[in-house]
Amino acid sequence: MANAVQQLVRMLDELGRVTDEPGRLTRTFLSPAMRRANKLVASWMKEAGLQVREDSVGNLIGRLETKTVGRTGPVRRGGAGRSALPRKTLLLGSHLDTVRDAGKYDGPLGVLLPIVALGELRRRGVTLPFHVEVLGFSEEEGVRFSSAYLGSEGYTGRLKKNTLKLRDVDGVSVGEALKQHNDGRFTLPQPAHSRSNLLGYLEIHIEQGPVLEAKKLAVGVVSAIAGQSRFKLTWTGKAGHAGTTPMALRRDALAGAAEFTLGVEAIARRTPGLVATVGSLTVSSGAANVIPGEVVHTLDVRHADDRVRRQALMAIGRLATQIAGRRKLTRVWPRTQENGAVACSPQLTARLERSVRAVQGKSISLVSGAGHDGVVMSALAPVAMLFVRCRDGLSHHPDEYAAPKDLDVALRVMVDFLTRLAGDYCE
């Protein structure tokens, strides 16, 4: 499968050059670079024999329609199935947007590898006894609007009216961006499928962690995805002259936000398995000689146990109240995202583990601390995930890297999984 792996590497390299910011990789929701990325990936989908469309939230969808269904496993081209079966759809995919100054594997790998795998099956003359959709979600990272999963929420019919009100740094709302994308008209989409019509959703993703590297394994199977809460906090104090306002009389919003950030870190450090991050911060007025009167920042809290995460959020809320009262600040913190922990499908996961053992000889189970489109997709279909080793566990960084030999293993697992699933489906 050397040619297929080389093709995958070339595709990752080419897509990695499609960016909104010269000199670094950045693609955000409905941006010009995202439109160019969709066009490029669509061309590869068509080459693999997929029918391509784009939905109202900018998701790229490549569909492989099955024409022959039999009870004896994968059907060779020109063969005939023994008897017709209801034809369900298997969903494969990930996201095509990136963080700022990103690596080229996080997200796109899960879109491009299925395209190459389906192309390889086509080259071998294998027809699957079910439909397949390869999904390139338009948004997962939450960069533009500080709210993740806009693409998969649209696909699953879970996009909410309140989400449409969120605004980017230029004051453009999600709803306005979607109307512009749809020539002036946009309505909240319905689910793309009913759950009864789906076999499941499989996402391939770099691990974004060090476990596979430590175990000297190319791939591993995900058992669950941690729950996640995101907020956008605004601390409001009173701006004043930096040279004439005594320290005891100040209402410094930045000092309050800084104390809060360190307090959140302390809560996370003493709670096993909890991670909490303040990742974006805007200070007003932002002048060297003015006491900050307002600070806006994000908060991201995650844990594999929803009960632990909720308890931590209560402690964080008490901390915010104490700081605001003592420093005479006001604060608001609307929740921009809330996703419970997701357990992967035991049935799909068992099948995926079987393929991993067949290709790699050994399979290990991993919990994902990072969020993925599978979180949202679990409302529509059973989900499974395959992690691919990344060097030093590094992600969200331009040095993000997955070796071709590991991509080869992942590609072989995907082909084996599709072939075995076809056999199971036809029994």
Side-chain angles (χ1 to χ4, degrees), residues 94-226:
S94 192
H95 59 97
L96 291 174
D97 69 317
T98 72
V99 297
R100 290 192 174 89
D101 200 15
K104 59 189 175 185
Y105 298 89
D106 176 0
L109 174 62
V111 183
L112 302 184
L113 189 145
I115 295 172
V116 175
L118 291 172
E120 178 66 14
L121 289 177
R122 186 187 190 198
R123 185 188 67 78
R124 297 180 186 184
V126 174
T127 300
L128 299 172
F130 45 78
H131 307 309
V132 179
E133 281 190 0
V134 179
L135 308 173
F137 292 116
S138 58
E139 204 278 347
E140 187 263 2
E141 297 288 7
V143 172
R144 182 174 177 184
F145 292 101
S146 298
S147 181
Y149 306 130
L150 297 179
S152 50
E153 284 183 347
Y155 186 85
T156 59
R158 297 184 70 198
L159 195 62
K160 302 294 191 297
K161 286 184 178 180
N162 284 343
T163 303
L164 301 183
K165 300 175 184 177
L166 297 176
R167 296 187 179 273
D168 63 15
V169 294
D170 297 318
V172 178
S173 72
V174 173
E176 290 165 350
L178 286 168
K179 283 183 179 180
Q180 183 178 8
H181 175 71
N182 290 280
D183 297 323
R185 294 191 300 174
F186 175 78
T187 56
L188 289 171
Q190 297 297 309
H193 300 274
S194 66
R195 192 179 183 95
S196 62
N197 291 334
L198 296 174
L199 289 173
Y201 169 77
L202 171 61
E203 182 168 357
I204 295 182
H205 205 282
I206 56 171
E207 182 194 359
Q208 301 176 286
V211 176
L212 289 172
E213 192 168 62
K215 298 287 187 180
K216 295 181 170 40
L217 294 172
V219 299
V221 179
V222 177
S223 60
I225 305 171

Side-chain angles (χ1 to χ4, degrees), residues 11-21 24-38 40-41 95-109 111-112 137-144:
M11 291 162 68
L12 286 163
D13 288 342
E14 187 173 352
L15 183 59
R17 292 190 290 270
V18 180
T19 178
D20 284 309
E21 297 182 316
R24 64 178 189 170
L25 175 56
T26 302
R27 287 194 303 269
T28 61
F29 182 52
L30 301 182
S31 71
M34 276 299 301
R35 290 193 289 272
R36 297 196 302 274
N38 276 10
L40 178 61
V41 177
H95 59 97
L96 291 174
D97 69 317
T98 72
V99 297
R100 290 192 174 89
D101 200 15
K104 59 189 175 185
Y105 298 89
D106 176 0
L109 174 62
V111 183
L112 302 184
F137 292 116
S138 58
E139 204 278 347
E140 187 263 2
E141 297 288 7
V143 172
R144 182 174 177 184

Side-chain angles (χ1 to χ4, degrees), residues 349-402:
T349 298
R351 287 189 171 104
L352 187 57
E353 288 173 337
R354 184 173 56 177
S355 292
V356 170
R357 286 192 295 269
V359 174
Q360 183 172 255
K362 179 181 180 181
S363 178
I364 65 169
S365 180
L366 303 164
V367 173
S368 175
H372 300 284
D373 286 301
V375 171
V376 177
M377 293 298 291
S378 66
L380 187 65
V383 300
M385 285 196 72
L386 181 74
F387 273 173
V388 181
R389 173 170 52 188
C390 58
R391 185 174 60 196
D392 298 328
L394 185 65
S395 183
H396 288 186
H397 189 280
D399 291 338
E400 181 180 274
Y401 179 74

Side-chain angles (χ1 to χ4, degrees), residues 315-351:
I316 290 171
R318 290 192 294 270
L319 173 68
T321 299
Q322 292 165 5
I323 291 172
R326 181 167 18 88
R327 291 183 174 273
K328 298 181 180 179
L329 305 174
T330 61
R331 53 90 176 84
V332 294
W333 55 332
R335 193 183 308 253
T336 59
Q337 183 180 323
E338 178 71 17
N339 297 105
V342 171
C344 292
S345 161
Q347 293 79 19
L348 276 183
T349 298
R351 287 189 171 104

Side-chain angles (χ1 to χ4, degrees), residues 233 235 254-267 278 297-299 315-321 323 327 331 333:
L233 284 80
W235 299 85
L254 179 56
E259 182 181 351
F260 175 79
T261 301
L262 293 176
V264 167
E265 181 188 46
I267 291 170
V278 173
H297 66 81
T298 59
L299 173 66
I316 290 171
R318 290 192 294 270
L319 173 68
T321 299
I323 291 172
R327 291 183 174 273
R331 53 90 176 84
W333 55 332

